[in-house]
Amino acid sequence: MAPLSKAATALAALREDLAGEVFAPDDPGYDEARTVFNAMVDRRPAVIAQCESTPDVVTAVRFARDLDLPVAVRGGGHSVAGMSLNDGAVVVDLRRMHEVTVHPAAKAVRIAGGATMSHLDRACEPYALATTGGRASTTGVGGFVLGGGTGWLDRKFGLAVDNLLGVELVTADGALLDVTAEEHPELFWGLHGGGGNFGIATSLTLRLHELPALSIAMVFYLPERGPEVLRAYRDVIETGPDAAGGGFLYLTGPPAPFVPPHLVGLLLAGALVTYAGPEEELRRLAGPLLAVPHEAEVVTAIPYAELQCMLDDPPGLRNYWSAEYLTGVPDAFVDVFCARAASMPVPTGTQHVVWPQGGAIAAARGDYPVPYRDAPWAVHPFGMWEDPADDERVVRWVRDVRADVQPWSTGAVYLNFTGDEGADRVVAGLGADNMRRLARLKREYDPDNVFRFNHNIPPV
C-alpha cells in the first residue's frame, strides 16, 4: 500500500475527477455499494469507483495502478464467488453504465458494460430481435458474454460469444482499445471465453436474431415421477428441433398461482420446454411430457424478457453452485441424477438441474476457448438458501452431485457456473492448449495480473 499521504492525495483527486461517485470505507453508502447478490460474500474494498462513462473507467484504472492496487470489476455483481468485490482492491463499478443501443437494420446491439440481461432484452423486444442471454434477468451482460454465455436460446442462436462482434476494452495500463476480428484479432479470440482477464469491457456489440414468437411449457410433477419425466424430456429434446430448449429440474414448490397450495414448500420435479416459435407447435412438441400424470402445467406464449425473469435468483440469499458437462444422459445417469434429489435441501431456493446443449452450440465453427461446446448435456447443481446454519449441507450436496455424475463427465466446464474451485478447474473451463495461448495473451495485456479477481489466467 502506498504511503498514506500519497493515497489520500490520490483519493481526493479521484473524487474530483470522476463523474460518478467514489466510496471509501468510512463514507456513508459504502456498505450498500459493496453488497453483492451472494450473501456469503462480505468483503471490504479499499475504494469503490461507481463510473458513469468510459473516461471514468480509465481514470479509476489509472488511480489503482498509481497506488499499486489490484482491480475488481463489477457489472451485474452476479459472480457466485463474489469476484466483483475483493478486500483491499479498487472496485470499478459499472452499474451506472447500462445504456443499450439497438441497430435493427444491422441486427446488432451495443451494450454498455454495466447493463444486465433485463436492460438488453427489453431494449431488443420492440424489434422482435434477441440474442442468447443468461437464464436470469439480473445477470450482468459483460461477465456473462466474456465467460462464454449459455442461456435459453443457445441451441437456436449459439453461445453468447458466438454472437460477439466487438468489445471496447480498457486495459491494465489505462489504454482504450476497440477489439474486433479485424482489430487486435488475438485479443478478440481471448475475449471469447477468457473472461475479465484482459481488461474492462466498457461496451460490447452483439449480433441479434429475429425472434417473432417464443413459448414455454412448464410442467410440475410429484418427485417420484422424476425418472420417467427426465427420460421423456431427453427424448423430446434429442428428437426435436434446435428451437427447443429448457431443462429438467427438482425444486421446492414455489408459492406461485399455478402451483397447488398443498405442494408449496415440498420437493417437486419439473420440466421446462422453451421454444423459439408459436404455442401450438410447442404443444405438439411437449405432448409426451403433458401425457405423464402431473400436478400443474403452464403452456403459453411469453415475451423473451419475461421468460428471463421467471427463474431469477433474488439478492440477499446464500449461493453455492457448480456444473459438470456430460457425454449424454443414458438411463443409468437418469437413475443416479434423480436419486440425488432425495437429499436436496428443501425447502430452499436450491435447484437440481440438467439441461441440453447441442444445436447451434455444437454446430458453431471456431476455435474459441469454450471446450464445453461439444457436450450434449450439462448438470448444474444450484445451491441457494437463507440460513447460514445450512451452509455445510448445501455445499456438500452440490459437491455430491458433481461426484455422482463423474462417470458421464466430459471434464470440461462453463466457468460462469462455478466459484473458486482451483486452478485445475480453470484449465478445464478453457482447455489446456487454450490456457497456454491465453497465458501468453495475458502477459501481453496484463503482465502484472492487475485483473486477477476472476477465473484467473496467470501471465507467463
Side-chain angles (χ1 to χ4, degrees), residues 20-251:
E21 287 194 72
V22 176
F23 295 93
D26 293 333
D27 291 340
Y30 171 81
D31 284 332
E32 181 179 358
R34 72 183 181 91
T35 300
V36 291
F37 96 106
N38 186 356
M40 296 183 80
V41 177
D42 182 15
R43 298 177 186 148
R44 299 185 65 82
V47 174
I48 300 170
Q50 293 190 338
C51 299
E52 295 272 5
S53 64
T54 296
D56 269 4
V57 174
V58 172
T59 297
V61 169
R62 290 176 176 169
F63 164 83
R65 297 309 309 272
D66 287 347
L67 295 182
D68 196 25
L69 293 173
V71 174
V73 183
R74 177 170 185 160
H78 217 266
S79 158
V80 66
M83 292 174 177
S84 52
L85 200 71
N86 226 298
D87 293 323
V90 174
V91 174
V92 179
D93 187 337
L94 305 177
R95 283 178 292 173
R96 297 180 178 211
M97 300 169 57
H98 53 74
E99 301 81 12
V100 177
T101 305
V102 181
H103 301 283
K107 291 186 180 176
V109 59
R110 185 178 175 95
I111 310 114
T116 64
M117 290 301 157
S118 184
H119 293 124
L120 170 59
D121 298 334
R122 295 196 183 280
C124 294
E125 193 171 69
Y127 305 98
L129 296 171
T131 194
T132 300
R135 294 173 175 88
S137 69
T138 52
T139 301
V141 175
F144 166 79
V145 172
L146 299 182
T150 170
W152 302 126
L153 297 176
D154 53 14
R155 281 173 44 83
K156 178 68 172 175
F157 299 142
L159 297 171
V161 286
D162 297 332
N163 295 289
L164 181 62
L165 301 175
V167 180
E168 182 184 79
L169 194 76
V170 176
T171 63
D173 60 2
L176 181 63
L177 303 179
D178 284 317
V179 185
T180 66
E182 293 75 32
E183 298 289 330
H184 313 287
E186 182 71 0
L187 180 56
F188 186 63
W189 171 84
L191 294 175
H192 284 67
N197 274 280
F198 308 109
I200 302 175
T202 49
S203 76
L204 303 95
T205 302
L206 298 175
R207 181 183 298 108
L208 295 175
H209 305 266
E210 294 180 4
L211 187 67
L214 183 73
S215 49
I216 62 165
M218 172 64 98
V219 192
F220 291 103
Y221 310 81
L222 295 178
E224 53 266 30
R225 293 278 182 187
E228 178 184 6
V229 176
L230 178 49
R231 290 183 178 100
Y233 178 78
R234 173 196 63 197
D235 295 344
V236 164
I237 292 296
E238 291 185 347
T239 61
D242 294 349
F248 170 87
L249 75 163
Y250 288 91
L251 75 168

Side-chain angles (χ1 to χ4, degrees), residues 328-340:
V329 288
D331 288 349
F333 164 84
V334 170
D335 293 338
V336 169
F337 178 86
C338 293
R340 179 55 62 187

Side-chain angles (χ1 to χ4, degrees), residues 291-305:
V292 178
H294 53 277
E295 307 304 307
E297 67 176 73
V298 177
V299 184
T300 185
I302 186 173
Y304 177 54

Side-chain angles (χ1 to χ4, degrees), residues 1-15 24 46-47 63 66-67 69:
M1 183 70 178
L4 180 61
S5 57
K6 180 181 178 181
T9 300
L11 180 60
L14 180 66
R15 293 186 194 276
V47 174
F63 164 83
D66 287 347
L67 295 182
L69 293 173

